[in-house]
Amino acid sequence: LYVGISAIGYTLLVRVGGLSLALLIVPLLVARQSLLTVQNRQEAFDRMVGTFVAAIQAKDGYTRGHAERVSDLSVLVAERMGLSYDERQLIRYGAILHDVGKIGVSIGVLCKAGPLTDDEFGEMKQHPEIGAEMLSDIDFLKPALAIVEHHHERLDGRGYPAGLEGDDIPLLTRIVTAVDAFDAMTSTRPYRRALPVSVAIEELTANAGSQFCPRVVEHLVAVIAEEGWELTDVPVHAIPVAETP
Amino acid sequence: MSSRSRLPALAMYTALVAVAIGFGIGGMLVPVEPLEVLRYHDLFILALAVALGDQLLLPRKVGRSTALSVAVIASLALLLQSPALVLLLSVAAWAMQTLRSLRTDRRVRIGHLPASALLAWSLAGTTMVVASIDPLTWTIGQSAVSFLPVAAIWCYLLLVAPAIESLEVDLRAQRGRRLRYTDLVRAGLLPNTVVAATATLGALAYPELGAPAVLLMALPLLAAKLGFERDSDTQRNYDQTLRAMSRLPEQLGAVDPGHGVRAGEVAATAAVELGFGVDVAVDVERAAQLHEIGRIQADDGMSLPDGTALTREQIALSGADILRETGDLDRVARFILAHRGAVPVGDEEAWVAGAIIRLACDLDLRLTARGERRLEPSDQSWIRTQGVQQRIAEAVIHAAQVHYEPTVGEPA
């Protein structure tokens, strides 16, 4: 690029004169500077989103790193499914922020070491809508709001909050739903230890078509296999033994 | 800005354009050598018309900076001819912009003044080059200066007409209609036209370059346009995400809905009034928006797990820590600490910023309170209670008069 610009600039200088350099070089320098600014701001923006997520995860230590893992794995699945760069960006942000609404759920419910009561589950079920509402004013995230709002929907319509079924659940959301479940199963939770990756895959496969999108599960399993996770057959994200009642 | 408040400016805008066209047609019909002052007058009116037009017409969500920034580049490339005219136009654009800001929403929007001036420069430069084209040889030359009226109409068709069309888009968007792709294309007509016109003129100015000249001139301009568009988008995303972050404590029920955003608006306006630069004023607004963010360390936003209540100092300290983790908000973190009194010795900027934030926060609580604690924006008694910070309190309550309607404070 620099060689090309220099060559054009030199030609202009020889054939036209000094003013031509201003015509060509000044706009290019301004463009370069503005794109560098964009790059820096984008990095700062990503760090801010990370801080945003970390602040929420501070409430629920058991899920620390969960959002980042779901985001990374969702992007890999999206890439394998041939989705565009823009869609992969959407899924990256949507996945990392999918649990942002948990800020509105009490620690007692988030970290309860045992089954939730109906009331507690009712409180927990509000987090997708809380999260979507919180992010609704961020223009570029609007296409990703469906991920935040519907990542607990099921293919058979028995999920929440809207009870969407089948193709009514957007593809990006179906990806995050499956990856979210996989990461939850392979992480140690207050009420159980992490499951082995092979068991988690069995669960995903068994529920493909009812809870998860079969096509997504197929690609997710392939990605996990490509990453070598199934060979280890140990919980990849297991937190060192945390005894729970 | 409401569509009603746009009407006077729109009327002025239309009148200016009509005058510009009148000059152009009149100049063509009457075969009189135009006076030098008349030529400047024509340029001046057109430049102001477009500067005002940009203010009126670009939909807020599409981003104003794109058109203006392209105009900057166009002017850099073309306007190397008359420093006096540049000065005249920039002063005029500044004056008009200030007048309009005071008349409409009384809030001097950061960046509008130089941006309007630069847009005016761009139009002046474009017009001057067009004016110097010899219509017979189709080359630039001093002999073609008298064809300025034709240039004026040409500029009107290329720059002003598409802008008028986008007004409709803007008004529809204000009525709540979602922007469609075609709307976005229309809204981009002005910057795209500026690029095309500038590139064409640049090519005309250098006929020896041949046919590739237009492409040669257009590419760097398009690259710059892309850069500014991306910059504008990223900046908007960044600010919107910060605003969403400021609502986290509200989710815990520890803060009134909208408190941070309202305090931020007042603090930013007060910071500008007190002489802070743009970048500092923006950070003052962010700090005011996020001054309660530290509450998220507590489950309910108010007390720690052991039952002890969070102090305001703990909230500020925790909030500053959270923001420092981004690596980009150190000054915002410093201002948040300052608003609870943690000011490094000799750091007057942080002291004033901290005072603005504290007062904006306190004032918002008073303006939205019920009963005896409630304050009206017009009530000056609150200022006298602020001791050594009276000067800052005056700026804050003046800012509040801009942002709060007397009846708006009633909580739902």
Side-chain angles (χ1 to χ4, degrees):
Chain A
L1 180 66
Y2 285 116
V3 170
I5 292 171
S6 303
I8 294 170
Y10 179 75
T11 307
L12 279 172
L13 182 62
V14 170
R15 293 183 62 179
V16 178
L19 185 59
S20 64
L21 284 179
L23 278 168
L24 180 72
I25 300 301
V26 171
L28 280 177
L29 287 177
V30 174
R32 180 176 178 277
Q33 186 58 40
S34 63
L35 287 170
L36 279 176
T37 307
V38 168
Q39 192 177 352
N40 292 335
R41 213 188 293 277
Q42 188 67 44
E43 287 168 5
F45 176 75
D46 285 351
R47 284 197 299 273
M48 187 172 64
V49 170
T51 305
F52 199 157
V53 173
I56 293 148
Q57 290 183 350
K59 282 189 75 173
D60 182 8
Y62 285 101
T63 59
R64 189 177 293 276
H66 167 72
E68 290 86 352
R69 292 194 301 271
V70 172
S71 177
D72 291 346
L73 192 50
S74 297
V75 170
L76 287 175
V77 174
E79 200 169 340
R80 198 175 189 286
M81 295 179 76
L83 300 187
S84 68
Y85 173 80
D86 286 346
E87 287 171 315
R88 296 202 303 272
Q89 285 293 94
L90 278 182
I91 206 167
R92 184 161 79 89
Y93 286 116
I96 205 165
L97 292 165
H98 73 280
D99 274 341
V100 76
K102 284 188 176 173
I103 190 77
V105 181
S106 63
I107 286 180
V109 173
L110 280 179
C111 301
K112 185 174 180 183
L116 299 177
T117 65
D118 287 347
D119 285 347
E120 289 166 341
F121 191 51
E123 184 181 341
M124 181 67 102
K125 280 166 68 174
Q126 290 175 1
H127 83 267
E129 288 174 305
I130 294 174
E133 199 275 329
M134 281 174 62
L135 302 174
S136 60
D137 289 335
I138 305 175
D139 286 342
F140 92 107
L141 281 179
K142 280 181 179 162
L145 284 186
I147 295 174
V148 179
E149 187 169 4
H150 297 299
H151 70 277
H152 281 294
E153 304 286 359
R154 294 168 52 109
L155 222 58
D156 57 12
R158 290 167 52 212
Y160 63 88
L164 299 180
E165 52 184 301
D167 289 342
D168 289 344
I169 307 169
L171 176 61
L172 300 186
T173 308
R174 281 180 266 155
I175 294 173
V176 174
T177 301
V179 174
D180 183 34
F182 171 76
D183 191 76
M185 284 189 278
T186 53
S187 302
T188 294
R189 307 291 299 158
Y191 45 90
R192 61 150 174 76
R193 288 171 179 274
L195 299 175
V197 173
S198 56
V199 175
I201 289 174
E202 281 172 20
E203 280 292 311
L204 287 173
T205 310
N207 289 290
S210 57
Q211 185 172 356
F212 308 113
C213 170
R215 193 158 67 95
V216 169
V217 169
E218 179 189 331
H219 286 281
L220 173 58
V221 171
V223 167
I224 294 168
E226 286 164 10
E227 294 292 316
W229 289 350
E230 70 173 0
L231 300 177
T232 63
D233 204 27
V234 294
V236 285
H237 312 306
I239 299 171
V241 185
E243 291 301 338
T244 54
Chain B
M1 189 191 313
S2 70
S3 55
R4 192 169 59 177
S5 67
R6 288 165 180 259
L7 290 178
L10 179 61
M12 186 191 303
Y13 174 64
T14 308
L16 286 169
V17 172
V19 170
I21 296 171
F23 270 111
I25 295 174
M28 289 175 67
L29 295 178
V30 181
V32 178
E33 188 71 21
L35 296 173
E36 195 73 359
V37 64
L38 185 64
R39 187 162 67 88
Y40 283 158
H41 190 195
D42 208 356
L43 282 170
F44 173 69
I45 290 171
L46 265 172
L48 282 181
V50 173
L52 283 171
D54 178 74
Q55 279 287 305
L56 283 169
L57 304 176
L58 278 185
R60 191 178 306 162
K61 296 196 174 191
V62 175
R64 176 179 288 115
S65 65
T66 304
L68 299 175
S69 305
V70 172
V72 173
I73 297 165
S75 59
L76 280 173
L78 292 171
L79 192 62
L80 300 171
Q81 303 184 38
S82 173
L85 183 61
V86 170
L87 186 64
L88 175 68
L89 289 172
S90 58
V91 169
W94 175 83
M96 291 299 291
Q97 185 55 58
T98 306
L99 182 66
R100 187 175 164 279
S101 295
L102 292 175
R103 276 183 181 174
T104 53
D105 56 5
R106 299 175 63 191
R107 182 180 181 188
V108 178
R109 292 179 186 277
I110 298 164
H112 280 189
L113 310 186
S116 295
L118 289 168
L119 188 64
W121 293 0
S122 168
L123 184 65
T126 307
T127 309
M128 288 175 77
V129 173
V130 172
S132 65
I133 295 172
D134 187 328
L136 299 176
T137 61
W138 201 237
T139 55
I140 307 296
Q142 288 302 313
S143 61
V145 170
S146 60
F147 279 83
L148 184 70
V150 180
I153 294 175
W154 186 86
C155 280
Y156 169 75
L157 291 175
L158 271 182
L159 296 174
V160 184
I164 287 175
E165 189 184 0
S166 71
L167 172 64
E168 186 192 1
V169 177
D170 191 20
L171 291 179
R172 275 185 300 175
Q174 284 182 26
R175 289 181 192 134
R177 197 191 133 190
R178 294 182 64 183
L179 286 175
R180 295 179 310 182
Y181 180 72
T182 50
D183 295 329
L184 296 175
V185 170
R186 279 193 219 171
L189 274 178
L190 183 60
N192 291 332
T193 308
V194 172
V195 168
T198 308
T200 305
L201 291 171
L204 284 172
Y206 299 102
E208 59 269 42
L209 290 175
V214 175
L215 190 62
L216 198 64
M217 298 294 168
L219 282 178
L221 290 170
L222 287 172
K225 175 172 171 283
L226 176 70
F228 280 113
E229 278 175 349
R230 289 262 177 96
D231 192 25
S232 174
D233 288 346
T234 314
Q235 178 67 56
R236 191 170 61 241
N237 296 338
Y238 193 82
D239 288 340
Q240 288 173 344
T241 308
L242 277 180
R243 190 171 282 224
M245 269 184 90
S246 77
R247 294 173 61 198
L248 285 174
E250 296 169 15
Q251 293 295 334
L252 300 173
V255 180
D256 284 344
H259 168 67
V261 171
R262 290 193 301 270
E265 287 175 344
V266 168
T269 307
V272 170
E273 187 170 324
L274 289 166
F276 277 124
V278 174
D279 54 339
V280 180
V282 167
D283 279 348
V284 169
E285 178 172 19
R286 289 171 173 169
Q289 280 178 358
L290 295 164
H291 71 280
E292 301 276 16
I293 191 74
R295 286 187 183 277
I296 64 175
Q297 69 168 318
D299 190 23
D300 59 357
M302 288 184 269
S303 52
L304 294 169
D306 62 6
T308 55
L310 274 175
T311 65
R312 295 215 161 265
E313 286 69 26
Q314 283 173 321
I315 294 167
L317 203 59
S318 171
D321 286 343
I322 289 169
L323 296 179
R324 281 204 191 97
E325 283 183 34
T326 67
D328 194 48
L329 295 170
D330 284 352
R331 184 158 60 189
V332 177
R334 188 160 58 94
F335 289 169
I336 286 181
L337 287 175
H339 102 282
R340 296 314 308 172
V343 184
V345 177
D347 189 347
E348 190 179 353
E349 178 185 82
W351 186 85
V352 176
I356 292 172
I357 296 162
R358 189 183 66 75
L359 292 171
C361 171
D362 180 56
L363 190 60
D364 180 66
L365 295 176
R366 298 290 301 276
L367 292 171
T368 56
R370 289 181 188 275
E372 289 182 359
R373 271 187 58 79
R374 182 181 170 83
L375 193 74
E376 289 297 328
S378 57
D379 189 345
Q380 302 289 312
S381 63
W382 175 80
I383 296 173
R384 289 192 293 277
T385 65
Q386 302 306 321
V388 295
Q389 297 177 356
Q390 275 198 24
R391 184 176 64 92
I392 301 172
E394 282 174 16
V396 168
I397 204 160
H398 183 243
Q401 287 165 3
V402 174
H403 294 288
Y404 290 77
E405 295 292 335
T407 54
V408 161
E410 283 293 348

